[in-house]
Amino acid sequence: MSTSLIILTCVIMALGVVPFLKPSTVFEYPYVVGMFLFVWFLPQAWAVERMGLAGGFDPTLAWNYITMCLVFLVCGYALGRRMNVQSIMSKRAEISAMYSEKRMAQACVVLIAIGSAAYIMMSRMAETTTGQWSGVIVVYATLAVCLVFGAALTFLIYLRTKDKFALFLFGVATAVFAPVLFIAIKREFIFEFSIIIFGSLFLVKKIVPPRILLVAGCLIGAFIVNNAGTLRGYVKTNDSSLIGAMTSKDLYQLSEETAGKQTEMAPEVNGAVTDIAIAIEIGDYHPFTSIANGMVSRYFPAFLFGRDAKNWLMFKGADDNPMRNRYFANGATRTGFSDTFLDFWYFGVFAFMFLGFFYGWTLNMALAGGLRGQYLYVSMLGTGLHAITHSFAEFAASLPFLWLVVWLPFRYSRITPAESKRLFQPLTPQTGS
């Protein structure tokens, strides 16, 4: 094996082992990335080199770039964590009194209602949609995120106030996307749901999972990540659920065969390796193109203005170069390492520095104790993994809507100065005439 891959393996293992040595770091972004890359990325990376899946392309170019990305991610995270939050902590009591609990509950109801309706519509359309999603289903997929945000906010409110209505709303949100967790076996939803539960308990109640539970959770998570297709097939064939599949002896024999074939194909990692190698060979880079196209794809309503108008707004990207047809696109996600390199060459490492800084800063806000900071971090940690597993452009394109979903509930429920004055105005005794 190449020295570059051995170095990359050591970097990933160094990040992934930290939570097992210090469980209180289990929800810190670089270590979450390290654990995930260890169980998902490394098996494919070693298969690429061992079996020569990249063909005539040199995979060490990709290993070197990915190592640099992780180093810059850690550096950005360290900078974000060093930001001064003393002013935030000193105003914690003031911030907690600035919001109306009644209006916050109303905002949660709206979030869950919009997210539920969008998710149901998206699910119905997905059954008849083949290939890449486009059109109104993209709008439904974007709005469906409100369901996750509503669940996170209601569970945080319950932990902070013991409000039973907030717990009821969290139960409603959970019931809506329970089929995604136990029937459809969507890995991103399973991860986000786990973060909502355990991340909220950590931020509000300071509950740290014991090492034995952390090890068990990682083993189960690794099995789900690498056998999601097998699990879905078993559930569909046997009319079962995730729990039924996980407790079935037949599944493990089947998973040994299918997981081995999936690892041997290494679709995501092999795609990233060949993308980077071809880009270096032909020198074809398009700064900010994937991010701009991601914005257009997500927010421009082609179903209203037409597909031609949307295509006109799209910029020419690396995939439009005919020389890239030497590699057959298999349709798998190609990781955030691929699209950042295709856009920015080796300067793409600064995209990962931004990622690290963003999550270091938001974790500081969450640890300061404010509801808004905790809501932001718990809701968006799963989105941060999409920047690694899918594309950085997908993460960047989602930020405007996510910020809106975070800002609106607090803007709506904020107590105005006039209301605050009436609320805290001292009572004056009335005198009889």
Side-chain angles (χ1 to χ4, degrees), residues 59-395:
T60 60
L61 301 172
W63 309 150
N64 292 335
Y65 175 68
I66 295 169
T67 301
M68 292 172 58
C69 288
L70 295 179
V71 171
F72 272 73
L73 185 146
V74 172
C75 291
Y77 181 78
L79 289 174
R81 289 302 308 272
R82 290 183 63 183
M83 291 188 66
N84 190 350
V85 295
Q86 290 182 354
S87 59
I88 298 177
M89 297 183 67
S90 65
K91 295 182 179 180
R92 185 166 50 190
E94 177 185 346
I95 292 174
S96 64
M98 290 170 60
Y99 304 102
S100 165
E101 293 184 1
K102 181 179 179 180
R103 290 204 292 266
M104 185 67 78
Q106 294 171 350
C108 291
V109 171
V110 173
L111 278 178
I112 294 174
I114 292 175
S116 299
Y119 168 72
I120 293 172
M121 295 300 297
M122 178 190 71
S123 301
R124 289 179 177 178
M125 291 191 66
E127 294 177 357
T128 58
T129 301
T130 58
Q132 185 177 4
W133 284 3
S134 61
V136 71
I137 192 173
V138 177
V139 178
Y140 292 143
T142 300
L143 293 176
V145 177
C146 293
L147 184 61
V148 177
F149 275 70
L153 185 54
T154 52
F155 191 64
L156 282 167
I157 292 174
Y158 169 71
L159 292 179
R160 293 167 66 97
T161 65
K162 298 300 181 183
D163 185 353
K164 294 183 179 179
F165 182 65
L167 181 61
F168 169 76
L169 291 177
F170 173 71
V172 171
T174 303
V176 172
F177 63 74
V180 181
L181 304 177
F182 300 108
I183 306 299
I185 323 293
K186 296 293 185 181
R187 292 173 293 185
E188 58 270 25
F189 278 93
I190 294 174
F191 177 80
E192 288 172 345
F193 182 78
S194 301
I195 286 295
I196 289 174
I197 299 293
F198 298 104
S200 298
L201 288 171
F202 170 71
L203 291 174
V204 178
K205 299 297 185 181
K206 308 304 179 187
I207 297 176
V208 177
R211 285 185 178 87
I212 185 64
L213 181 60
L214 183 58
V215 171
C218 287
L219 291 176
I220 295 173
F223 183 82
I224 293 175
V225 164
N226 292 299
N227 296 276
T230 305
L231 287 166
R232 294 188 195 108
Y234 182 90
V235 168
K236 183 176 181 179
T237 303
N238 297 276
D239 194 22
S240 183
S241 66
L242 176 61
I243 298 176
M246 293 289 291
T247 55
S248 171
K249 295 181 180 179
D250 297 336
L251 177 74
Y252 294 98
Q253 182 178 358
L254 180 63
S255 67
E256 290 180 2
E257 303 174 1
T258 56
K261 294 179 181 179
Q262 181 73 6
T263 300
E264 291 175 3
M265 294 171 58
E268 296 92 353
V269 176
N270 193 33
V273 166
T274 50
D275 279 347
I276 292 172
I278 293 174
I280 291 175
E281 184 170 330
I282 66 180
D284 189 29
Y285 305 101
H286 301 264
F288 295 101
T289 295
S290 61
I291 296 176
N293 288 344
M295 292 285 187
V296 173
S297 177
R298 183 176 290 264
Y299 298 113
F300 185 82
F303 59 92
L304 293 178
F305 299 100
R307 170 61 57 181
D308 291 339
K310 187 171 186 175
N311 291 338
W312 181 80
L313 292 173
M314 292 285 191
F315 293 94
K316 181 180 179 181
D319 288 334
D320 296 318
N321 192 317
M323 294 186 67
R324 294 188 59 79
N325 291 334
R326 294 187 308 175
Y327 176 73
F328 177 75
N330 54 35
T333 58
R334 307 170 87 85
T335 78
F337 306 114
S338 174
D339 72 319
T340 53
F341 193 89
L342 295 180
D343 273 15
F344 306 111
W345 189 53
Y346 284 99
F347 292 107
V349 296
F350 289 101
F352 289 86
M353 190 172 188
F354 167 79
L355 269 178
F357 180 86
F358 176 81
Y359 282 98
W361 170 63
T362 53
L363 181 59
N364 268 0
M365 294 178 59
L367 293 176
L371 175 60
R372 181 162 50 185
Q374 294 172 347
Y375 171 51
L376 178 65
Y377 192 77
V378 168
S379 301
M380 296 191 64
L381 188 56
T383 306
L385 271 189
H386 275 235
I388 306 293
T389 60
H390 290 65
S391 72
F392 179 82
E394 182 175 325
F395 168 80

